[in-house]
Amino acid sequence: MKDQPQESLELEIFNHETRIGSVLANQFRADLAEAGIGNGWHGFSFTLPRPLPAGQAHLISVRAAGCGTLLSGAPAPIAPRTTLDAAALASLRDALDEARGCSGEGDALLALLLDEVEQLKGQQAAQRHNAGPMRRQRGSQAALPAKRALVIDDAWPRPDRNAGAQAILSHMRALQALGWHVSFLPRTGAAPDGAAQALLAAQGIACLAAPAIASVEEALCRQAGMFELVYLHRVSVAAPYMSLIRHYQPRARVMFSVADLHHLRLGRQGEIQERPELTRAAQRQQAQEFAVMLQADAVLTHSPAEAALLRQAGLEAQKLHLVPWAIKPVKPAMRTDREGLLLVGNFAHEPNLDGLLWFAQAVLPALAGQRLTVVGAGLPHGVAQMLRTQGVELAGAVEDLAPYYARARLALAPLRFGAGIKGKVLEAWAHGLPCVMTPIAAEGLELPPLCAPPWRRMRPGSSPRSGR
């Protein structure tokens, strides 16, 4: 203001008479400083919280907060766009050219374009369907768009790296079999993952990714009202986006797949490792998980054990659904020279690393002469060095596990804590390989009582040699 030239002014932005946000004019502008207007720190930029609706006229005004004084040049009219301008077309062509230049992106690009075309066709069909009573009286009925489902997970599904990816891929295929058109969106940035996108595109699943989509928020906003079903995988996805989904996709049923009960895993870890901070974190996680379940229309779990826990906790029976995932059996190699033990896991996941360390320290020394092969990414350097001194073969991350399953005599799942169904167990069985596991690893599999009686009598964390 004139009497306070050094002060930064708060501004309010309006579309017609609807306030759409505010901003503090405190950015430096050299032209203002050179003109002697205050100290020059009076510029501003404002990002719309959501795009302005297309096909409508807008009247944008910027006003001083409190007094309502209009800035010069306001209000600014924005005419409705009826065609793409040259700049928009050029930008689209540039994005397509960039995507074409990336090797292995052809299928993903085609799936993205087809998905966008389907959306436009669906919008046009809906407009024709609602064109007015005259058309309905003539009996003209435009085709309605197909059922559309949006699936959101933490990251691109890589079934070669974790069981969660196997589960969500299985569920997306199930949705397709039920007649749904499925689109996939990763929470942790929409940057492309060529291998994952090619896998999804080959199965007819549309990928929402850069350059067309930059975030979950943008996808929900730009495709407002377009989905009849939204599938959220894990609480880390469901908790931050549940409200946005209800706002932008008001007619969609929301399914929350727990993957595993995170609070159960954290609580067990805190008990086994004697870490009270994890016990407190588990209590907070439990509150968040149950809050999301109450907001969802349906809750999916893979594990009968976790379904029983949720029922005991009071979750409505009609909301809870036990939904396993499909793993295709592999014809086992008929070999007489099988030998050694095989442990597969992503060791960035704490239960896997803890289980490996426990087995190496408490069990492996008693198995003199047995070869142990460890396969998987995320193994810390110090742990790798220690295992090598014990004669353990470290294969790291591999593209194909079949040769390792074909060579081994037994698979291992030495988990001391965790939750949900363990993919490593199912995968070993799918290859015809027996698996020796702890009670935690066997949880939810509903095994016969005689499968592994010694493990069932052992406390998690105790040593088989000590008998504790």
Side-chain angles (χ1 to χ4, degrees):
M1 305 299 283
K2 291 183 179 179
D3 57 340
Q4 296 175 309
Q6 308 301 325
E7 293 296 321
S8 298
L9 186 64
E10 183 182 358
L11 304 173
E12 294 181 309
I13 292 83
F14 287 79
N15 181 14
H16 295 286
E17 293 303 314
T18 301
R19 183 181 182 276
I20 56 178
S22 64
V23 64
L24 192 64
N26 61 357
Q27 298 179 10
F28 182 72
R29 277 182 51 178
D31 59 333
L32 296 181
E34 291 171 3
I37 300 175
N39 55 12
W41 291 89
H42 305 301
F44 71 94
S45 61
F46 177 75
T47 302
L48 292 170
R50 61 183 65 89
L52 297 174
Q56 300 178 18
H58 305 285
L59 194 65
I60 306 299
S61 59
V62 182
R63 310 173 188 178
C67 64
T69 302
L70 284 171
L71 265 66
S72 61
I78 300 177
R81 173 178 288 180
T82 56
T83 60
L84 288 176
D85 57 29
L89 288 171
S91 176
L92 176 60
R93 291 192 186 98
D94 289 343
L96 293 174
D97 289 341
E98 181 180 347
R100 266 189 220 103
C102 299
S103 60
E105 297 295 329
D107 289 341
L109 175 62
L110 180 61
L112 175 64
L113 291 174
L114 290 174
D115 187 52
E116 294 296 325
V117 169
E118 281 197 16
Q119 291 177 48
L120 288 172
K121 289 171 65 179
Q123 290 172 339
Q124 292 172 350
Q127 289 168 359
R128 290 194 299 270
H129 180 64
N130 299 316
M134 188 72 73
R135 175 167 294 183
R136 287 195 294 272
Q137 288 173 5
R138 292 197 302 265
S140 173
Q141 192 76 308
L144 293 174
K147 298 185 298 182
R148 300 189 70 233
L150 176 64
V151 176
I152 311 176
D153 196 6
D154 260 329
W156 292 101
R158 295 296 298 268
D160 56 329
R161 296 180 183 175
N162 61 76
Q166 297 173 2
I168 199 167
L169 283 170
S170 175
H171 286 186
M172 285 193 285
R173 288 192 291 266
L175 284 171
Q176 289 178 310
L178 292 170
W180 290 85
H181 177 277
V182 180
S183 298
F184 178 82
L185 177 64
R187 181 185 71 89
T188 50
D193 180 323
Q197 286 182 259
L199 173 64
L200 294 174
Q203 300 184 48
I205 297 169
C207 300
L208 304 184
I213 297 292
S215 66
V216 174
E217 293 85 349
E218 182 181 356
L220 293 173
C221 177
R222 283 177 52 189
Q223 302 192 56
M226 294 299 295
F227 296 101
E228 288 85 10
L229 174 67
V230 179
Y231 177 112
L232 304 174
H233 196 222
R234 306 177 217 271
V235 69
S236 55
V237 170
Y241 294 115
M242 183 67 77
S243 296
L244 277 178
I245 289 164
R246 292 298 191 192
H247 177 74
Y248 285 116
Q249 308 296 332
R251 65 193 182 100
R253 284 183 58 81
V254 180
M255 301 173 68
F256 168 43
S257 175
V258 303
D260 61 47
L261 289 176
H262 294 10
H263 78 267
L264 188 61
R265 169 160 46 87
L266 270 177
R268 289 168 170 173
Q269 182 177 0
E271 180 182 356
I272 288 292
Q273 296 180 345
E274 298 181 351
R275 295 172 59 185
E277 76 278 10
L278 291 183
T279 302
R280 292 191 295 271
Q283 294 168 351
R284 294 191 297 270
Q285 183 78 76
Q286 183 180 26
Q288 185 181 57
E289 286 181 313
F290 274 89
V292 170
M293 291 179 200
L294 291 174
Q295 297 175 71
D297 296 308
V299 177
L300 311 185
T301 178
H302 311 308
S303 167
E306 292 190 357
L309 285 175
L310 293 176
R311 283 193 293 268
Q312 291 171 10
L315 188 66
E316 301 171 37
Q318 62 269 29
K319 179 180 284 193
L320 180 62
H321 304 274
L322 180 62
V323 185
W325 75 87
I327 292 184
K328 186 177 181 180
V330 178
K331 186 176 180 180
M334 304 304 293
R335 297 176 53 166
T336 58
D337 60 342
R338 288 179 178 268
E339 61 175 343
L341 311 173
L342 177 64
L343 199 161
V344 176
N346 175 7
F347 298 103
H349 188 50
E350 288 191 73
N352 291 333
L353 181 60
D354 175 89
L356 172 59
L357 287 171
W358 171 70
F359 185 84
Q361 294 166 358
V363 182
L364 190 58
L367 304 177
Q370 284 288 347
R371 185 183 69 189
L372 172 62
T373 301
V374 174
V375 179
L379 200 60
H381 179 69
V383 174
Q385 284 185 317
M386 183 268 290
L387 292 173
R388 288 192 183 97
T389 63
Q390 293 182 265
V392 176
E393 176 188 341
L394 304 180
V398 300
E399 291 187 4
D400 185 10
L401 285 166
Y404 293 89
Y405 283 121
R407 187 180 70 181
R409 188 172 183 83
L410 282 175
L412 301 176
L415 301 177
R416 299 196 302 165
F417 57 86
I421 299 292
K422 312 307 179 294
K424 59 175 60 63
V425 177
L426 299 181
E427 193 169 53
W429 288 348
H431 284 81
L433 188 64
C435 185
V436 178
M437 67 194 85
T438 57
I440 291 294
E443 185 178 62
L445 295 175
E446 297 186 320
L447 301 174
L450 297 179
C451 276
W455 293 103
R456 292 185 181 276
R457 292 196 295 267
M458 185 187 301
R459 279 180 55 238
S462 65
S463 165
R465 293 180 295 169
S466 67
R468 293 190 296 116

